[in-house]
Amino acid sequence: MRKVLVIGASGLLGQYLLKAGRDLELDMVGTYNETVPTDINGMLRMDITNPDSVSRSLDQICPDLVVLSSAMTNVDQCEREPGKAYAVNMEGAFNVASRCKDHGAKLVYISTDYVFNGLKGSRYHEFEGPDPLSIYGRSKLEGENVTMDADKKNMVCRVSVVYGWNRIGKKSNFLTWIIESLKKGQAIRLYNDQWVSPTYAPSAAKDILELACKDVRGIVHTCGPDCLNRYEMGVMLAEVFGFDKGLISSIETKDMPMLAVRPRASCLAVDIAESELGRSMVGLRQGLDEMKKEER
Ligand SMILES: NC(=O)c1ccc[n+]([C@@H]2O[C@H](COP(=O)([O-])OP(=O)(O)OC[C@H]3O[C@@H](n4cnc5c(N)ncnc54)[C@H](OP(=O)(O)O)[C@@H]3O)[C@@H](O)[C@H]2O)c1
């Protein structure tokens, strides 16, 4: 049985990586840092910015495969605290990649569509040159680079606007924030000029592990197949959950600028993942239908 270590299993995607691996009957161990899960069975504490902490866990677990889902994911916070962003997203990746190399373990680094500038006007393929606009995007690109420089058998999986129910921490994601707001009858404003490929955490987790188990190497886009703007996402969510669409208004980025510059259209092509997996990626409508079914 393959032994798999999921670093950042207290996060949204990480918790589903742990679950997907157990469903695939892999021998799974997860890590958390500050969010202590209620059930710490099969979980270790690890701070990826501390090389000793990384070494201790890898020496203890001796995994065949490591999935690094940890990151500083708040894009505006990365802009405010660039030192911390690079420490987690780049140096953390370096610490993990070096120890994986020593152990002969394959590393999968979870990355982002924000490595692109979003100006192309159509979907980005894996072979296209990145040009990040923000500290978050730049620090994640550096994380990709250290991962692939460490060992050519490693893999980088890019995702985009990850959504799903968070069963471990209290942190919301873009879609659960919309659900909470509309449920309370609060009006919200969503950008109509930022296009992304929304990624359903449970299905992406399964896809990523299956690709890793097939020993796929290099960069692979493992997001959903859609290219939607944030307003369209909100309207689709309101339809699926039966909320009042009138509470959602559409705005442009210039009407409510954010600290970090976001790409205009960072949708990703998923042909490689679909062909390797022999199935279609899960689109937003299907992901929302599943979330609705699993609402508690
Ligand atoms: N969320 C998105 O929309 C999105 C979009 C594109 C790409 N991504 C990428 O997808 C991956 C997963 O994102 P997510 O939304 O699931 O993240 P998330 O929910 O924000 O979770 C982040 C994880 O990183 C861990 N972490 C943070 N600092 C750490 C440190 N110093 N050492 C060890 N672990 C640390 C956190 O642990 P604690 O909470 O226990 O501290 C948590 O488990 C990330 O690599 C992110 O860059 C996300």
Side-chain angles (χ1 to χ4, degrees), residues 18-204:
L18 205 58
K19 182 178 180 307
R22 289 180 177 145
D23 292 346
L24 290 167
E25 299 190 342
L26 298 167
D27 185 1
M28 303 297 294
V29 178
T31 80
Y32 59 95
N33 186 34
E34 287 174 359
T35 310
V36 184
T38 336
D39 180 9
I40 54 162
N41 196 17
M43 299 279 272
L44 298 171
R45 182 167 224 152
M46 185 203 284
D47 176 358
I48 57 170
T49 64
N50 177 344
D52 293 336
S53 169
V54 175
S55 292
R56 260 195 314 276
S57 301
L58 267 97
D59 292 346
Q60 185 185 334
I61 305 296
C62 292
D64 306 298
L65 171 67
V66 175
V67 185
L68 177 53
S69 192
S70 288
M72 185 162 155
T73 52
N74 183 316
V75 179
D76 292 321
Q77 194 195 346
C78 288
E79 217 67 23
R80 279 189 294 271
E81 298 180 65
K84 191 173 173 198
Y86 280 100
V88 177
N89 298 345
M90 178 188 75
E91 287 161 34
F94 178 82
N95 293 335
V96 173
S98 329
R99 296 306 288 140
C100 284
K101 177 81 178 165
D102 297 342
H103 279 267
K106 179 184 177 85
L107 171 62
V108 176
Y109 179 78
I110 308 299
S111 192
T112 171
D113 54 328
Y114 279 18
V115 296
F116 293 113
N117 63 21
L119 298 173
K120 185 186 167 196
S122 59
R123 288 164 199 273
Y124 288 91
H125 294 270
E126 286 83 347
F127 60 82
E128 288 178 271
D131 177 26
L133 303 175
S134 60
I135 300 286
Y136 171 72
R138 283 196 279 280
S139 61
K140 292 293 292 182
L141 178 60
E142 295 290 341
E144 291 189 359
N145 292 339
V146 297
T147 299
M148 291 316 302
D149 287 349
D151 201 324
K152 295 298 166 225
K153 74 173 181 228
N154 290 342
M155 179 166 64
V156 166
C157 289
R158 291 188 185 134
V159 293
S160 164
V161 186
V162 182
Y163 67 97
W165 296 119
N166 184 353
R167 304 294 188 202
I168 293 193
K170 290 196 169 60
K171 196 173 158 191
S172 55
N173 52 75
F174 179 59
L175 287 168
T176 55
W177 167 75
I178 297 177
I179 293 171
E180 290 313 316
S181 306
L182 298 183
K183 211 180 249 176
K184 288 188 230 150
Q186 279 172 3
I188 54 170
R189 300 193 294 164
L190 301 178
Y191 296 113
N192 59 17
D193 58 355
Q194 288 178 27
W195 284 267
V196 292
S197 295
T199 306
Y200 186 45
S203 55

Side-chain angles (χ1 to χ4, degrees), residues 260-279:
V261 180
R262 268 70 171 176
R264 184 174 164 80
S266 52
C267 302
L268 304 176
V270 290
D271 326 39
I272 292 181
E274 290 190 333
S275 120
E276 288 287 348
L277 293 165
R279 61 172 180 262

